[in-house]
Every structure is written in C-alpha cells, then in structure tokens.
Amino acid sequence: MSPRPLIIAIDGPSGAGKGTVARTLAARLGYTHVDTGAMYRAVAWMAGHKGVDLSDEDAVAVIADAAAFELGPEIRVDGHDITKAIRTPEMDAAAGMVARHPKVRQSLVRRQRAYAAQGGLVMEGRDIGTVVFPDADVKVFLDASADERARRRAHDPAHTASGQIEQVATALAERDRQDSTRKTSPLAMAGDAVRIDTTGMSVDQVVERVLTLVKP
C-alpha cells in the first residue's frame, strides 16, 4: 500500500528560500508545487494590464475569480507569459497591495485549496499553514537574517531587483511590514510549524531538514 500523499505548507518572508526549497522538495517527492505568491503577483499584473486600480477591491477580486493560472516553471495568467514580468520590485509592491484585500484572498484561498485534490502538494506562501491548510500534514516556517535575505534577493536571477543590497533590504522590510500587519491572513508562523533559520544553509541542507519532518 503506497503512503498517503501529504500536504506540506511552507511559509515565511521574502528571501527566506521558500521558492527554491519548495520546488526542490516537490521534485524530490514527486508532488505538485504551488507558489501562491505568484498567484497574487499574477492578479496584480492582470489588474495593471487591464488598467484596474489596485485599491479597488471589488474590481481586483473579479480578476482573481476569473484568472486562469498556469503555475509551472513558466507563470502564465490568461495565456500571458508573465514569468519575468512579475519578478520586479514594482510587482512585489503591487502584490503586497493586492494581498491586503480580503475578497481577493478569499478568492485565491478557495482556488489554492482545490490543488489538494491533485494529491501530494507542496504549497508555499505566507498564510499556508495558518489559513489555507491549517490541518496540513507538515508545516514549515522558513526564515533568515535580514542581511541574508536581502543578499539572496539582490542576487536572485529570477528577480530583476536593481540597486544596492541596502535598497533591497529596505524594500523587503516594507513588504514584511505590509504582510505582518494586514488584517486578513497576516504573515505569521503557525503554532505547530517548525521554524528553520536558513541563514548560511544550502538549499539541499534545508530540503534534507524538511524531509526529516515528512512521515508517510
């Protein structure tokens, strides 16, 4: 009898290593990987594409409800390849604005939960273990020092962040403030999550640590 496929929730702030760790872990386990941050970025991008004011909660929620996401190595929304377009400081700020809207979060959380029907799942974000899957089999909260997170983001080829590390650190601190103070689904570590400080750790080291928590 094959082991029951698990739901693995990986949360944490920007630059903590969620994306790389989640993708690597999913590949190791043969699970589906879902980057929920990409969904919020995609909604923000589509709102801009359609000329919708990001502060208009109802209009942005309509976009979230209707958007067709493709969340593979290439990120697409409604057929548009936005893989590179959503990895900019501007889109990071835009995603933060969109994520503050309760109606948008309700829409996307509903869609995120539907991915569990596909079987084994590694989902990354900021509220996966607290809101999206509070009963996840494994909950991990990745973190790292502010300097380490800024350095990673500044040198991440997936992001087109420009400027000195100090500027990147300032932008990350602002995103952290937005995420941790929003009224709906703030960034927080679930009470039963395992915190892993990834400062100075390689991706493989973090993945191996998470794998020790995965029990069939």
Side-chain angles (χ1 to χ4, degrees):
M1 183 175 181
S2 60
R4 176 179 64 85
L6 307 177
I7 294 176
I8 302 174
I10 298 183
D11 291 306
S14 298
K18 298 190 303 294
T20 306
V21 169
R23 284 192 299 272
T24 304
L25 182 65
R28 288 277 295 272
L29 295 172
Y31 280 14
T32 297
H33 164 242
V34 176
D35 175 0
T36 61
M39 297 175 75
Y40 288 98
R41 289 170 181 268
V43 170
W45 182 91
M46 183 56 73
H49 180 69
K50 293 186 174 184
V52 172
D53 186 343
L54 294 181
S55 66
D56 187 337
E57 180 175 358
D58 289 334
V60 178
V62 168
I63 291 174
D65 284 336
F69 300 106
E70 295 178 48
L71 303 175
E74 293 184 346
I75 307 298
R76 296 177 183 275
V77 59
D78 293 352
H80 300 280
D81 185 344
I82 58 172
T83 308
K84 293 183 179 179
I86 61 172
R87 303 299 182 184
T88 67
E90 293 75 20
M91 289 308 304
D92 193 46
M97 291 179 62
V98 164
R100 296 180 77 87
H101 294 316
K103 291 181 181 178
V104 174
R105 298 202 73 88
Q106 290 168 9
S107 174
L108 294 188
V109 166
R110 183 168 58 249
R111 302 183 68 172
Q112 289 156 11
R113 286 173 175 159
Y115 283 104
Q118 299 178 18
L121 178 67
V122 178
M123 184 170 285
E124 56 165 299
R126 289 168 169 78
D127 65 342
I128 311 307
T130 54
V131 175
V132 183
F133 290 114
D135 296 322
D137 299 284
V138 177
K139 298 181 185 179
V140 177
F141 189 90
L142 300 184
D143 205 351
S145 69
D147 289 344
E148 177 85 349
R149 290 167 52 213
R151 183 189 62 78
R152 289 174 181 170
R153 179 53 58 88
H155 294 92
D156 185 350
H159 289 264
T160 56
S162 58
Q164 300 299 316
I165 290 180
E166 291 79 5
Q167 294 172 303
V168 176
T170 299
L172 288 182
E174 174 58 21
R175 181 62 193 272
D176 289 348
R177 186 195 66 77
Q178 290 183 10
D179 289 342
S180 59
T181 60
R182 65 182 178 229
K183 293 181 179 180
T184 304
S185 304
L187 168 66
M189 185 175 78
D192 54 348
V194 175
R195 181 180 182 275
I196 301 176
D197 186 337
T198 66
T199 305
M201 295 179 69
S202 69
V203 173
D204 286 341
Q205 287 175 323
V206 180
V207 170
E208 289 300 326
R209 175 70 180 89
V210 176
L211 284 172
T212 65
L213 306 173
V214 177
K215 300 178 181 179

